[in-house]
Structure formats: structure tokens, C-alpha cells
Amino acid sequence: MGLALGPQAGARLMRCHGAATGAVAPTTGKKIVLAGNPNTGKSVVFNYLSGLYAEVSNYPGTTIDFHQGRLGENAVFDTPGTYSVASHGEEERVARNLILQADVLVNVVDATHLERDLFLTLHLLDLGIPILVALNMMDEARAQGMSIDLELLSKLLGVPVFPAVAVRRQGLAELKASLDRAATAPLHPELETRLRNVNVNGLSRAESVLLLEGDPATAQSHNTEPLPFRDELYQWRRGRVNELVAQVVTRTARGASWRSRIGYWMMHPVTGVPLLLATLFVMYKVLGEMVAGNVVGFTEGTIGQGLWAPFIRGLVTRLFSEGSVVETILTGQYGLLTMTFIYLFGVILPLVIGFYMLLAVLEDSGYLPRIAVMLDNLLQRVGLNGRAVIPMILGLGCVTMATISTRVLSTKRERMIATFLLALAIPCSAQLGVILGILAAIGAGWYALAFVGTIFAVFIVAGTLLSRFIPGKSTDLLLDIPPVRVPRLNNVLRKTFSKATMFIREVALFFAIGALLLSVLQLTGALQAVQDILAPLTERWLALPKETATAFVMGFVRRDFGAAGLYQLSLTPLQALSSLVVITLFVPCIASVLVIMKERGYKYLIAAWVASLATAFLVGGIVAQIGRAVTG
Amino acid sequence: MTLDRAGSGDSVTVVTLPSGEVRSSLVRLGIEEGACITCILKMPAGPVVVRHGNTDVALGRHIASQIEVTEAEGAAHRGARGRWGWRWGHRQGRG
């Protein structure tokens, strides 16, 4: 069977957000599916084979949907990491569906974690799908004093094994050239005996094995009951893995490496908490002072307002008279070519790039799962567990993406709580940047602390209430902690570029819509009316100038757009604090609304939307009133 | 005793695991009856981090309290090292 594997073909990365069913686009060639435990480097191998960029991080669960690319006439799929073929969670279901449809499996194995990873390998072999094993991270294994008998491993498994160091592209060319050597391991006699328990017609070997292990999805699709042999089979497979490892691995004694020490310090309460606070402080310094202050001061002030705005205004007024409808829409106070353009590229872009760069460093270092361990206790109180740290931190990048990533949470209850907390209290990178910039400009540390404290309190109170009123209880943390790694500059830049581009692309349209809306409101005089109507709310309750209402109108489109609107107003520190609280807790952006609707349904969406709006004005007002009382 | 009672730095042998999904999740990761694991860190009222071979796994307190363990042979003295007493260079893994 010849797999025609030409040079990298023209490629297109398909992001399949609706991947719950694992439906695979038709292709003329074979389906090559990458499978492996979380964090073994599947995405790196995928990027090599397909010539695309699927995100690479150092924490389990980076890939929750699958990615699809092409290799010659064949389709290549990157799957979410999984420890066995099962349907425990959303990621496992996506991986399971793709694995069952594969013509060729490339099992990416972390050589330093053979005891863990070979469990999946044996599971895949038992399914009887042609397979190749890529033994990744051979350099780390060697550095740890492990020596692995590759020939023996290949012989014992009955399939080809390729050593690799994927991040340095070592061994990948051989793997790519040998895809047609994928082999099926002979059926283990023990398993053959057990398969006699399956009396359903028309099942493939893979499906029979999964049915034996009580896989509900397989049972359902064949209208039968799942069988109760999972514990037995898992135990049996575990025993085989232990034997295999004992045969192929020789270890020389070694001490704990510096990386394992750093990893330990990151989690240890005595060193971990100060380190976390220091990390947040550095982020504030970099984003709030350096990027939001200096960089944005240059891009927005010097270039945007100083050079770009007069230039484009001059150009437009040559064609349309000043104050005309077209001129107002294009270059007026809320002009598409002035305000929108400058916000987008002068304010938001530098902030988003800055944030994603910092986030990429944190992601790739392996810090996030360790934060998850530290915050597990806290998150248990709001009905979640440490795992929810990942959607929350991703939410600081983009709430919309983070809402999709709540799929990594194991129960519906957790997904409901996490989605609301994201929609309410987590500012996205653009918004965060503007907020930090405004806080840094006020220059008073107490206001910044009051802001953080208020948002944190809202997070805890809202989470506690939800946890009390949504039936059920939080599930326990069970998290595999990846090793600490030095982030690779190449990946940090590539990921930052990919995420920032995605973010700007998503934001641009909504900013344009928002600006258009504002211009129309201004032209019709409605903006003035809105400001007057909202005056009791803004002036009396929030103690803000009534022009702030404009920022709130902008906030309905996107919270970061609203925050950017606050940028223009001259506010006292107290006014800045209360208006920032309102805009942070404000309704989720339109893109998030669409995702929430899709993931959680419209009833949930309406409740979440109304609740955030009410909370925003309630809490903002309380802050303003307390502030007024305190400062006199 | 149960795993949540082990001190940090203690090497223990797993006697029984809870049943159900948690059980299969643990067995996949190599934590099965008879496996020797080292408790490397205990968060105050939080998760217990155990090391098995090369793999570190964080287990919520509730899961840890359902895992029955016995102190591994020759590891009795390790408990005396105090609360944060995981020693660097201490050899992990199979006892």
C-alpha cells in the first residue's frame, strides 16, 4: 500500500470548533492521525508534517479541538492528548472519534515518561489500527540518564519505533518518509479470549475492545449495553507496560535536576505564593507601565493622533465637507478611519502582543499547571477545581477562546460556573491592557489594589453563590504536572503572532460596528439623549461625568472598546476606579455572546448577560459611594 | 493509613484505590495497587502531589483520602524530616 507522500502540499489550517462529533472532512487519501498523551509534542509533529502552526504549549489540554492539515493527498489530524482511548471528557471524546477513523496512527510518546505513555500505545495496538511510534524527547531521556533499547521496544511492540527530538526536528524526516511502514500488532491471545464476550455483529476490532471496556459512545452507536471489563483490562495493560519498561529501559542513578527543583518551588506554598505575586507584579510593570504607557503613548499618541489622524482627516475633508455624514462616519469623533483605526492598531495591538508574549512564556515554562495546584483550594470554594485555572488565565487573553476551553472541565456544573465567571469578572488582554494603562496613569497604588480587590471579591462572591445554587459539588483535581522547560523563543514568537492576529481579526469587525453605531447615534442626536437618560445612573449613582455613558454604550459591543473609550475622558482617580470596575464587570463582548449561546444555550446566555450588567452597575456604584465617603 | 496522612517526602506503597473513573484515571498514569509513590508536596488543605517514576501527579485532598497506602520498606525514617522535608536528590520511584 503506497502512501503517496509528496512534499508539503498547500496547506490550510481548519479550526473545527464544532468538533464534538469528530466529523472528518472527506479526503481522497489516507487519514493520518496523531495520538498521544497530553504534552508529548503531537502538535510539533503535526506542524512538521502539515507545514501549519497548531498551538504548542507546556500544559495538558492545549489542543481541545482537532486540527487538520494536508500531507500530499493525505489528511493529517492533530488530536487532543489522552491517556487511553475512552470517552471521559470532551477532549477524550474528540481524540477517540478521530482515532477510530484513522487509517494510520502516529503515536507520539514522551521517552522520559514511558511508564505513563506506553499505556496508550498498548491500548492503540490492541485496537488493531496500523501504527507507528515516534519516541519523542530522546534528548531529555538521555540527559536524565535513561537508556532505551529501541530495537527491543520495536520488537516487543511489533511496530516500527522512531526516535525523535521533535522541537529540533530530529528524526521527523525519517518518520515522515516511513509513514507507509505503519504496522498492526498481532492480537494478544489474552485479549482474543476476552473478545469472545462481545456478541454484537458488525463491530470492528477497535469497537469491540472499547465495548469490552464499557465505552458508552460505542455502546450507544450499536444499540447495546457497555460491558464491565474496564478495570480488568486496564490492570492487565498496566502490568504489560510495567514489564515492557523493565525490559527496555536502563536507568543510571541521578539526582533531582534543577528543573525539577524549580518546578517544586513554583508549587511550594512558601516559595510559590511570593513567586506568583512577583509574576503578577512583573506583568503589571511590563503591560501597564511599559506597553500601555510608553509603547502605546508612542503608537497611539505620537503616530496615531499626531501623524495619522491629521493626515487622514485632511484627505477625507478634501472630498467631503466637514460635519457631513460621510466625514463624520469616516473621520469624526468616532470615525472608522480615525478612532477605530487608532484604537485597533495604536492601543489594542501593542497590548495584545505584549500580553500574549508574556502568556506564551508562562505557558511554555510549565508554570500554569503548578498555579492550578496552588489555587485548587481556592477554586474548590467557588465550585471549581485547580484545572479551571487554565480557562481563567486563557480568559485574560481572550474570553471568547477561554469560553471554548471550558470544555476541559469535567462536569456541566463546572462549565456553567466557569463560563459565567469568565463573562463577568475576567478582563481580556486588550481590556486588561487599557485598564492597567489607566491605573498606571493614575499613579496611585491604592487605587490599583482597590480595583484588583473589588474584582477578586466579585469573582469569589459570584462563584460561591453559583456553587451554592447550582446542584452538585465540585470534582477533585487529578492533574498530571508537566516538567519545567525553558520556553523556546521561536515558539513564543510564533504563538504570539498567531494569537494576536486571530484576536485583531476578531476584534476589527466589532470595533468597526461599534464605531459606526456611535457615529449614527451622534448624527441623530441619540447619543446626547442616551447620556441625558443615563445621567442619574452615571452622575448620581456612579459619580461620573455623563459623557461616560458613551463608553458604556461602546462596552455593549466589546468591553475593551468601552475601556478604550474611558481612555479619552479625563477622570479623577476615584472616577477612574469606579468606571473601570463597571467596564470590567460589564456584559461579555458580542463574540463571547455567540460562543456562550452555542456552548451553553440561550437561557443561560440571557441570565449571564443580565446578571453581569446588573452586577457591573451595582458594584461600580457601591465602590463610588464608598470612595466618596472615604475621600470626603 | 490514607495518602492524605502521608508526610511530604514519604515513600509509600499503594494498597487500595477508590473505584470508578478515578480508578481508571490513576491506573492509566501508573498509580495502581502495589505501586511505590513518593508524596513530594502537600498544599495546606489542598492537593497532594505525588511522584511515580518520572511523572508528577496532583491529587485533590478528597481523592488522596480515598487511597489506602502503607509506608514503603526502608522509608520509615523519612517522615521525621519535618513538614517541608522533601530532600533534593532523594531518589524517587520504584522502591
Side-chain angles (χ1 to χ4, degrees), chain B residues 9-33:
Chain B
D10 287 359
S11 284
V12 295
T13 306
V14 178
V15 182
T16 46
L17 294 176
S19 56
E21 299 254 309
V22 175
R23 183 192 177 83
S24 18
S25 301
L26 291 170
V27 170
R28 308 193 285 192
L29 290 170
I31 300 174
E32 56 175 339
E33 275 106 0

Side-chain angles (χ1 to χ4, degrees), chain A residues 556-587:
Chain A
F556 280 106
V557 178
R558 286 189 60 93
R559 293 189 290 199
D560 48 346
F561 194 46
L566 293 175
Y567 220 68
Q568 287 188 329
L569 302 166
S570 49
L571 300 169
T572 66
L574 182 59
Q575 287 175 332
L577 173 65
S578 53
S579 58
L580 284 178
V581 167
V582 176
I583 209 70
T584 305
L585 301 174
F586 216 66
V587 297

Side-chain angles (χ1 to χ4, degrees), chain A residues 83-84 88 92 112-113 115-116 119 144 230-231 234-235 238 242 253-256 260-261 264-265 267-270 373-374 376-377 476-481, chain B residues 20-30 32-33 40-41 43-47 49 51 53-60 62-63 84 86 88-89 91 94:
Chain A
Y83 299 102
S84 69
H88 286 326
E92 288 193 6
T112 63
H113 290 91
E115 296 98 336
R116 187 194 67 189
F119 187 89
Q144 291 184 12
R230 185 175 67 199
D231 280 357
Y234 273 33
Q235 203 90 48
R238 172 48 53 201
N242 293 350
R254 62 169 184 99
S260 118
R261 284 176 212 195
Y264 176 77
W265 289 332
M267 288 188 285
H268 198 298
V270 174
V373 173
M374 274 197 290
D376 180 57
N377 192 3
D476 289 298
L477 182 71
L478 202 167
L479 185 67
D480 179 14
I481 301 170
Chain B
E21 299 254 309
V22 175
R23 183 192 177 83
S24 18
S25 301
L26 291 170
V27 170
R28 308 193 285 192
L29 290 170
E32 56 175 339
E33 275 106 0
I40 61 168
L41 189 61
M43 300 300 291
V49 183
R51 175 165 297 181
N54 236 343
T55 308
D56 290 353
V57 183
L59 302 170
H62 183 65
I63 294 184
W84 314 118
W86 183 58
W88 307 126
R91 283 183 60 192
R94 344 197 131 254

Side-chain angles (χ1 to χ4, degrees), chain A residues 472-527:
Chain A
K473 60 195 207 60
S474 35
T475 55
D476 289 298
L477 182 71
L478 202 167
L479 185 67
D480 179 14
I481 301 170
V484 170
R485 295 204 168 96
V486 180
R488 287 175 306 120
L489 183 66
N490 181 18
N491 189 52
V492 167
L493 294 179
R494 216 172 157 183
K495 184 153 61 177
T496 305
F497 176 77
S498 138
K499 283 190 161 174
T501 316
M502 215 151 65
F503 191 96
I504 290 295
R505 223 182 263 160
E506 196 186 296
V507 168
L509 178 67
F510 291 112
F511 268 33
I513 295 171
L516 205 59
L517 178 77
L518 283 175
S519 292
V520 170
L521 290 178
Q522 193 191 24
L523 283 166
T524 54
L527 196 59

Side-chain angles (χ1 to χ4, degrees), chain B residues 4 8-9 24 31-32 36 39 50 67 72 81-82 86-87 91:
Chain B
D4 59 322
S8 21
S24 18
I31 300 174
E32 56 175 339
C36 180
C39 166
V50 298
I67 300 177
R81 218 181 290 136
W86 183 58
R87 185 155 52 92
R91 283 183 60 192

Side-chain angles (χ1 to χ4, degrees), chain A residues 350-422:
Chain A
L351 291 170
V352 170
I353 290 177
F355 179 83
Y356 275 124
M357 218 163 229
L358 290 175
L359 183 64
V361 171
L362 293 185
E363 283 181 353
D364 291 9
S365 65
Y367 193 24
L368 299 191
R370 289 174 170 83
I371 298 179
V373 173
M374 274 197 290
L375 297 186
D376 180 57
N377 192 3
L378 178 79
L379 289 164
Q380 290 276 350
R381 284 162 205 262
V382 299
L384 299 168
N385 70 40
R387 220 167 235 276
V389 160
I390 294 194
M392 294 303 155
I393 291 183
L394 295 186
L396 294 173
C398 170
V399 173
T400 312
M401 297 293 153
T403 305
I404 297 171
S405 82
T406 56
R407 289 183 192 167
V408 302
L409 303 176
S410 49
T411 62
K412 192 181 165 208
R413 180 175 187 269
E414 286 171 13
R415 289 191 287 270
M416 282 172 78
I417 296 176
T419 304
F420 181 67
L421 292 178
L422 279 168

Side-chain angles (χ1 to χ4, degrees), chain A residues 35-40 42 61-63 79-84 91-92 95 120:
Chain A
N37 281 17
N39 226 25
T40 51
K42 291 175 294 299
T62 312
T63 311
T79 62
T82 175
Y83 299 102
S84 69
E91 317 110 273
E92 288 193 6
L120 176 68

